[in-house]
Amino acid sequence: MTSIAIVGAGPQLGLAIARTFGSHGLDVALISRNGDKLDDLAGKLTAEGITAAAFPADVLDRDALIQALKDAATRFGGIDVLEYSPVGTFGTTVLTTPAETEPSHVEHEMNFQLYGAITATKAVLPAMRETGAGTLLYTTGGGSIEPVPQVANVNAAAAALRNWAMNLHNELAGTGIQAAHVGIDVSIGTAVIPGLPTAQPEQISPVYWELHTTKRDQAEHVFSL
């Protein structure tokens, strides 16, 4: 049995990805800050016949994130797929335009997006190298490719993560390990940014399965409507 660890698991895209991979027989490790919400997601998946478990950790707490991934690997006999897509909380995450951006605004997002992704990757990649197989998927908004002025600080960190993920794809070519960036150029579920189209999580999640299975040579997929 293989498994997927979803870092930043939530009730929209994270749950949809869990259902997509779980429906194909993968066990699901759910990782995010809120243990109660994770337990609720795990309960929903279990009721649908998918083996899932919660491993609470804040991506800003490097040690906790590494431990959560270690615990997941122990529980499921390894992690075959890592999907990284934590999202900041509206109302607490500061969003800035380019001219308003202070270094601290970008620093927080770099910690949240890029440095968290690097930490998670280093926790699972050695075992993937040993087996010569695995998938590493990193999600950002479409602003990592086409910047949006209202969220300049988030875009800057997302672009850094995109660059790093695609560079990792190149480094891992020929090893049996797929690394890819998923850029989501829509609002998920409900409209967030005026003028940006909206898609449901279930429309997006098959992209991840395709990158894991039939499109392993691709370094990036941009989802748009």
Side-chain angles (χ1 to χ4, degrees):
M1 183 66 69
T2 55
S3 65
I4 179 172
I6 301 173
V7 180
Q12 295 220 56
L13 183 59
L15 181 58
I17 293 171
R19 283 175 168 148
T20 295
F21 280 78
S23 68
H24 286 90
L26 275 74
D27 296 332
V28 179
L30 303 166
I31 300 173
S32 71
R33 288 169 292 185
N34 191 311
D36 291 338
K37 290 182 180 179
L38 284 185
D39 288 338
D40 181 61
L41 296 180
K44 289 180 179 179
L45 293 169
T46 300
E48 297 169 14
I50 296 171
T51 300
F55 302 89
D58 188 332
V59 299
L60 295 177
D61 185 336
R62 307 282 181 255
D63 291 339
L65 178 56
I66 291 169
Q67 189 61 53
L69 288 163
K70 286 182 177 178
D71 291 345
T74 299
R75 171 72 178 271
F76 295 128
I79 294 173
D80 304 277
V81 183
L82 171 72
E83 193 280 319
Y84 188 88
S85 56
V87 177
T89 304
F90 285 103
T92 60
T93 298
V94 176
L95 303 176
T96 63
T97 65
E100 296 171 332
T101 300
E102 299 288 345
S104 61
H105 297 144
V106 179
E107 182 180 18
H108 172 80
E109 289 301 318
M110 290 289 283
N111 273 307
F112 191 69
Q113 296 193 62
L114 178 62
Y115 302 157
I118 291 173
T119 299
T121 302
K122 291 183 73 67
V124 302
L125 183 55
M128 291 181 178
R129 286 189 182 276
E130 287 183 10
T131 61
T135 301
L136 304 161
L137 303 173
Y138 308 91
T139 304
T140 72
S144 64
I145 305 164
E146 294 291 338
V148 179
Q150 299 96 313
V151 288
N153 59 320
V154 174
N155 287 172
L161 174 54
R162 173 183 182 247
N163 179 284
W164 179 82
M166 296 176 72
N167 211 5
L168 181 62
H169 173 91
N170 295 333
E171 180 186 0
L172 295 175
T175 66
I177 304 168
Q178 158 72 327
H181 168 252
V182 180
I184 301 179
D185 196 22
V186 297
S187 294
I188 302 174
T190 58
V192 176
I193 298 175
L196 191 66
T198 300
Q200 296 308 306
E202 294 76 17
Q203 294 175 266
I204 304 169
S205 60
V207 167
Y208 294 82
W209 183 251
E210 291 171 359
L211 289 168
H212 173 57
T213 54
T214 61
K215 297 182 178 180
R216 296 185 62 81
D217 60 331
Q218 291 190 9
E220 178 174 63
H221 182 100
V222 179
F223 183 93
S224 61
L225 295 176

